Amino acid sequence: MAGAGERGAMRRASRGFQVFVKPAGPLCNLACRYCYYVDKQLSARTGPSRMTDGLLENYIAQHIAASPDEIIRFSWHGGEPTILGLDFFRLVTAIQRKHCPAGRLIANGLQTNGLLLDEDWGRFLACEGFAVGLSLDGPRDMHDRYRLSKDGKPSFDQTMRGYEVLRRHHVPTDILCVVSDVNVSRPLEVYRFFKDIGASFLTFIPLVEMAPGAGGGVSAETVPAAAWGEFLCAVFDEWVAGDIGRVKVQIFEEAARAAFGQEHSLCVFRPECGDIPVVERNGDFYACDHFVDPAHRIGNIGETPLADLLEGPAQKAFGQGKRDSLPGYCRECESLDMCHGECPKNRFIRTPDGEPGLNYLCAGYRRFFKHCRPFVDAVAAAWRRQSP
C-alpha cells in the first residue's frame, strides 16, 4: 500500500505555507522560565528522541511536493534543534537535494539559542545558505533573568559566542528578543545593545502567559500591555531618527505593509491564521505552535499527506476562527488593518463594553500603531507619487 508521502506527492497546496518542524520535539539544553512550548507539548514525550530518518525524508518530500512557491522554505524549530548535531542537518540538506525539482530553490531557517554553535556549524550554515533566528533578550542582566540552564546557570556568554560564530561566517541572523517585565522598561538600552553588537534584523516578541492555577490573570513575568506600547514607540522613534535602512525591525515592517496595502508576512497580524502549523518529531500535525494540545492535533503526516492536512477543513476552520471571533470593538478600530486582533492565544480579556475576546496587548498595540501611522502613511504616499 502506498504511504502518505506517495499518495500526496503530486498535490500542491493552494497557497504558500510555513511549517515549524520540530525534529527534536521539546528537547532543549536550556530551561527558560517563560518557555511556552515544553509544558504544552504532549505527543512527542513518549515518542522517539528524534525524528527518524524515514519520517524525515517522508516529511521533506511531502513539503517539497506541497509547496506552490518557487522558493521552498523549511523552518527547523524546537526545543533546540542543534542538539541533534550537524550530521542530522547534513542529512536534511542531502534529502532536500534529492527531492528538489529542477528550477526550484530551497531555503532553510533554523531557530536556536546559539549555545552549541561552533566553527563547524558556522561553515555548514554559511555553505548551505541557512538563515538563523537567535534568541537573545538584550544585555547580560536582562537575558540571564529567564534564559537559564537546567541547573540555573546563565546562558548569555554562550549565546554571544554562538552569535559571533554566525557573524564570522556571515550567516543571516534575526535576533529574537522576548520582551518581558524585565526589559520592557528599558527599550533604548535594549535597542542600542543590539545595534552595538551589529544586529541588523530584530524581532521583538511580547511575553504573555497565564498565571499558574485556576485563578486567571497573567504571570508576573508577562509584559504589561501599556508598557509594551511605550517600548515599541521608544524604539520606533530612535529607529526613525537614524536607523532606517540599517536595521530592520519586524513589527515596523509589518506596520508599513498595511500602509502599502500589502498582506502581512507575520501570522499574528493577518486577518486569518493557520498557515504556520507544526510537525512534531513523530509526524503529528498541529494547527499552530501555540496550540500544541490534543484539541488542535489535526493528524499525522505518516497517515495523511501534508497537503491534505494543510487544506483540510479542521485547519481551515482554525484559521477562519481568528476572523470570526474578532470583537466588534476591534472591527471598528482605526488600527484594524495593522493588527487584526493579533494572536488568538492572547484574546482573553473583555472589551470596554464587556464583549469577550479582546487581545490582552490591545492597549499597547493601539498606542504604537497610532504613533507610527503618520510616518508609514507618509512614506507610502511618497512612494506612490514616485512610482510609475
Side-chain angles (χ1 to χ4, degrees):
M1 181 179 292
E6 245 181 288
R7 293 195 306 270
M10 300 305 294
R11 182 179 179 188
R12 288 189 180 183
S14 61
R15 57 173 292 168
F17 61 88
Q18 181 182 3
V19 173
F20 283 0
V21 58
K22 314 259 188 175
L27 300 180
C28 190
N29 49 0
L30 286 181
C32 301
R33 284 179 54 185
Y34 55 56
C35 182
Y36 66 88
Y37 176 63
V38 173
D39 289 341
K40 288 184 178 180
Q41 211 284 336
L42 300 173
S43 64
R45 288 178 182 167
T46 58
S49 60
R50 49 149 281 190
M51 185 175 279
T52 65
D53 293 354
L55 180 58
L56 177 68
E57 181 157 12
N58 188 7
Y59 163 67
I60 290 173
Q62 290 192 50
H63 186 116
I64 290 172
S67 177
D69 303 319
E70 179 181 348
I71 300 177
I72 305 165
R73 302 184 185 278
F74 286 83
S75 298
W76 304 95
H77 280 244
E80 175 51 45
T82 62
I83 63 175
L84 296 175
L86 260 178
D87 285 345
F88 179 86
F89 284 94
R90 291 187 179 110
L91 178 61
V92 164
T93 55
I95 295 172
Q96 288 172 336
R97 282 190 283 270
K98 173 182 174 182
H99 290 277
C100 186
R104 309 279 295 283
L105 298 174
I106 286 180
N108 283 292
L110 178 74
Q111 176 59 36
T112 180
N113 57 35
L115 271 64
L116 298 178
L117 299 182
D118 58 16
E119 292 303 306
D120 288 340
W121 270 106
R123 284 188 287 269
F124 169 80
L125 295 170
C127 179
E128 295 292 347
F130 274 66
V132 170
L134 181 73
S135 296
L136 180 61
D137 288 354
R140 180 187 303 275
D141 65 315
M142 304 183 203
H143 178 90
D144 283 341
R145 180 67 171 272
Y146 297 136
R147 299 192 63 80
L148 303 171
S149 66
K150 290 179 172 60
D151 56 359
K153 293 181 180 178
S155 63
F156 179 82
D157 287 336
Q158 292 168 286
T159 298
M160 289 303 298
R161 282 196 294 271
Y163 174 68
E164 290 304 323
V165 167
L166 297 172
R167 292 256 292 169
R168 281 196 296 276
H169 291 275
H170 306 288
V171 177
T173 303
D174 180 6
I175 300 292
L176 276 64
C177 172
V178 173
V179 181
S180 68
D181 66 313
V182 171
N183 52 8
V184 70
S185 61
R186 299 156 68 182
L188 296 185
E189 187 177 349
V190 171
Y191 181 56
R192 290 168 183 170
F193 165 76
F194 289 136
K195 288 196 294 181
D196 287 346
I197 65 171
S200 54
F201 298 91
L202 298 175
T203 296
F204 293 112
I205 304 170
L207 174 60
V208 180
E209 60 181 10
M210 302 304 293
V218 296
S219 69
E221 295 82 11
T222 290
V223 62
W228 168 237
E230 295 303 325
F231 178 96
L232 293 175
C233 289
V235 175
F236 181 79
D237 288 345
E238 175 133 337
W239 176 80
V240 167
D243 297 321
I244 296 174
R246 297 197 307 140
V247 180
K248 290 189 176 182
V249 182
Q250 186 180 51
I251 191 171
F252 301 167
E253 300 214 336
E254 291 299 320
R257 282 178 172 272
F260 280 85
Q262 298 173 332
E263 182 182 46
H264 285 289
S265 63
L266 191 60
C267 64
V268 297
F269 295 136
R270 293 176 190 163
E272 297 183 2
C273 55
D275 293 327
I276 309 182
V278 165
V279 170
E280 278 292 345
R281 61 184 177 182
N282 63 354
D284 280 348
F285 178 104
Y286 289 87
C288 169
D289 193 32
H290 289 285
F291 294 88
V292 180
D293 54 50
H296 295 91
R297 180 187 178 277
I298 308 298
N300 187 289
I301 63 168
E303 302 164 356
T304 307
L306 178 63
D308 290 351
L309 293 167
L310 289 164
E311 304 275 291
Q315 188 67 4
K316 287 187 175 181
F318 173 81
Q320 291 167 358
K322 177 180 180 179
R323 184 197 297 270
D324 295 344
S325 63
L326 194 65
Y329 180 77
C330 296
R331 297 177 193 274
E332 298 171 1
C333 179
E334 63 183 7
S335 298
L336 177 63
D337 59 337
M338 289 184 167
C339 178
H340 294 289
E342 210 243 6
C343 184
K345 81 176 181 68
N346 295 331
R347 294 183 183 179
F348 53 80
I349 65 173
R350 292 184 177 271
T351 66
D353 58 1
E355 187 178 1
L358 183 64
N359 196 294
Y360 165 81
L361 295 167
C362 175
Y365 280 122
R366 285 172 69 94
R367 169 79 174 92
F368 168 66
F369 288 132
K370 182 178 181 180
H371 181 76
C372 74
R373 172 79 75 174
F375 174 81
V376 296
D377 283 349
V379 171
W383 179 83
R384 292 187 186 99
R385 287 195 296 270
Q386 297 174 18
S387 180

